[in-house]
Amino acid sequence: MSKENNDQLSTDHLIPEYLQENEIVEEFKDLVVSLPREKGWVASYLHQYQGFWHTTRQIQGVLSCQKYFKSSSLNDKDIILVSTPKSGTTWLKAIIFSLVNRSTFPDTKQNHPLLTTNPHVLVPFLELNLFLPSKSKLVIPDLISSSIPSNNNDSNPSLFSTHLPYVSLPDSIKTSPCKLVYLCRNPKDVFISLWHFTNRLRPQNLAKNTMEESFEKFCNGVSLYGPFWDHSLGYWEVSLECPEKVLFLNYDKIKKEPFLHVKKLAEFLGFPFSLEEEANGDVARILELCSFDNLSNLVVNKSGRLSSGEENKTFFRRGEVGDWINYMTPEMAERLDSLVEKKLHGSGLEF
């Protein structure tokens, strides 16, 4: 092996997986290199596929998931959480896991998986974890064994997540009996959270993205899984057509009335709270366990890392509604509000 190859292997070994983009699976190489691309927020490039933007690493998981996902792996109890990045995904993963597994893990103070395991491990991403190629090799998972077992309780559903836009969702998921829970958030808060998040993930030897540069990209739709408005609109329309399959949730509304929306979520998923559970404070215990203050202060989320290299603490910043006002100028806020209103006009979806 040449010195150059040895140097490359040594360098790749030091780079976290989420930043590695040199290797492309042979099966997808021709397609990936042919796609339109722009400068990335974290990695070098974003590639446009089916109208949305993905990193070089991520797009391979998207393509693999589309091609190899089998609907036979899912049943009518299984759940897929869908969201745009930085819309409260980590929080809702924790809530859904706790909700559907509350009979298996009734004690939220000890021996609960969330106390020692990051929510992204308990509810894995399809395209970013399970179907993501490894070392230039395709990975075709057994979804049944890949889902986190609820203490081997077969009566509980398998839980997965994705950031895929509806147009890119495998047809086998669209036609499967599983349920989809979509989470969106005020786009101004999404942008600010995404700007902070991507800067924390950037290599230390690279300068941080300026807010102005990032804002232009976001407004042009060039962001992770963007455009934001097209992503949200896709699932909004399906939730109106198929309300029994897709539940459309708003982060801001959940934060305002958490009891109401968690109970609504439980009913949609087929795990409604009984009057006895409500009287015993089960809803409150789940919300306390999954609160930002509790999750962010757990040892696993302050010091651990995902297998792909991201520090767990990166997924916990503030979790507040309206934090955008501390960063965006009135002109920026007005521009984004006007843009989103124009893009969503006539749909009935508002932020």
Side-chain angles (χ1 to χ4, degrees), residues 154-226:
D154 292 335
S155 65
N156 287 348
S158 296
L159 305 177
F160 303 105
S161 64
T162 183
H163 285 318
L164 286 174
Y166 189 76
V167 68
S168 299
L169 206 63
D171 289 337
S172 51
I173 291 181
K174 296 176 183 177
T175 58
S176 76
C178 76
K179 293 188 175 182
L180 305 180
V181 178
Y182 186 81
L183 182 65
C184 69
R185 188 183 186 186
N186 184 299
K188 297 190 291 292
D189 278 331
V190 168
F191 165 68
I192 291 300
S193 185
L194 184 63
W195 175 59
H196 281 288
F197 178 72
T198 51
N199 271 338
R200 293 172 76 176
L201 291 180
R202 282 174 67 81
Q204 293 183 353
N205 62 320
L206 295 181
K208 303 296 185 185
N209 292 320
T210 66
M211 178 180 289
E212 292 73 19
E213 177 187 11
S214 300
F215 186 70
E216 285 299 320
K217 286 180 175 293
F218 192 82
C219 288
N220 289 328
V222 184
S223 60
L224 295 173
Y225 295 90

Side-chain angles (χ1 to χ4, degrees), residues 48 51-54 85 165 218 221-231:
Q48 189 181 46
F52 294 83
W53 295 91
H54 309 274
F218 192 82
V222 184
S223 60
L224 295 173
Y225 295 90
F228 164 88
W229 40 88
D230 288 340
H231 198 292

Side-chain angles (χ1 to χ4, degrees), residues 118-178:
N118 184 273
H120 291 295
V121 177
L122 296 174
V123 187
F125 280 105
L126 293 173
E127 77 280 9
L128 295 176
N129 296 121
L130 302 179
F131 285 89
L132 190 69
S134 177
K135 303 185 187 307
S136 296
K137 295 182 179 179
L138 284 172
V139 176
I140 304 174
D142 177 352
L143 292 183
I144 296 176
S145 63
S146 296
S147 65
I148 303 299
S150 303
N151 204 21
N152 296 318
N153 188 342
D154 292 335
S155 65
N156 287 348
S158 296
L159 305 177
F160 303 105
S161 64
T162 183
H163 285 318
L164 286 174
Y166 189 76
V167 68
S168 299
L169 206 63
D171 289 337
S172 51
I173 291 181
K174 296 176 183 177
T175 58
S176 76
C178 76

Side-chain angles (χ1 to χ4, degrees), residues 60-157:
Q60 299 177 72
V62 173
L63 295 170
S64 178
C65 185
Q66 286 186 327
K67 185 170 183 177
Y68 295 108
F69 189 98
K70 303 298 181 185
S71 60
S72 58
S73 301
L74 299 175
N75 61 50
D76 58 357
K77 281 191 174 183
D78 293 337
I79 302 161
I80 299 180
L81 167 60
V82 191
S83 62
T84 56
K86 312 318 298 173
S87 293
T89 310
T90 310
W91 182 46
L92 194 58
K93 281 187 177 187
I95 290 176
I96 289 181
F97 181 88
S98 301
L99 191 159
V100 302
N101 292 303
R102 64 183 185 274
S103 62
T104 306
F105 304 109
D107 190 343
T108 59
K109 297 295 184 181
Q110 56 183 347
N111 300 323
H112 195 287
L114 276 170
L115 299 177
T116 56
T117 311
N118 184 273
H120 291 295
V121 177
L122 296 174
V123 187
F125 280 105
L126 293 173
E127 77 280 9
L128 295 176
N129 296 121
L130 302 179
F131 285 89
L132 190 69
S134 177
K135 303 185 187 307
S136 296
K137 295 182 179 179
L138 284 172
V139 176
I140 304 174
D142 177 352
L143 292 183
I144 296 176
S145 63
S146 296
S147 65
I148 303 299
S150 303
N151 204 21
N152 296 318
N153 188 342
D154 292 335
S155 65
N156 287 348

